[in-house]
């Protein structure tokens, strides 16, 4: 059974905004071994915004608690 891969954005696994996916084939057999979200510009923007928001929280967290 193929594995499914999604980006981890803002604390949760997410599908691509477009809903698009792609299949990755095993070179030895040609069988589908994974399906992944096919991210685009909207997904990248969402990830950058989430990373920026997380960074602000991390700045306020003492190093020992990170």
């Amino acid at each position: 059974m193929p594995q499914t891969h999604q980006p981890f954005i803002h604390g949760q696994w997410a599908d691509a905004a477009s809903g698009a996916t792609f299949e990755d084939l095993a070179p030895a057999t040609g069988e589908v071994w994974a399906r992944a979200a096919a991210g685009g510009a909207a997904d990248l923007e969402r990830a950058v915004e989430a990373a920026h928001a997380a960074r602000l929280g991390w700045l306020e967290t003492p190093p020992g608690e990170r």
Side-chain angles (χ1 to χ4, degrees):
M1 172 170 271
Q3 298 178 22
T4 300
H5 300 279
Q6 299 170 298
F8 193 71
I9 300 174
H10 202 24
Q12 60 188 355
W13 297 106
D15 290 328
S18 67
T21 61
F22 66 92
E23 296 180 337
D24 196 7
L25 304 178
T29 64
E31 294 179 28
V32 175
W33 73 275
R35 288 187 181 89
D43 301 297
L44 179 59
E45 185 64 32
R46 202 170 40 148
V48 168
E49 288 174 5
H52 180 71
R55 178 188 146 281
L56 298 176
W58 281 110
L59 288 174
E60 298 172 2
T61 304
E65 293 180 26
R66 293 182 204 161

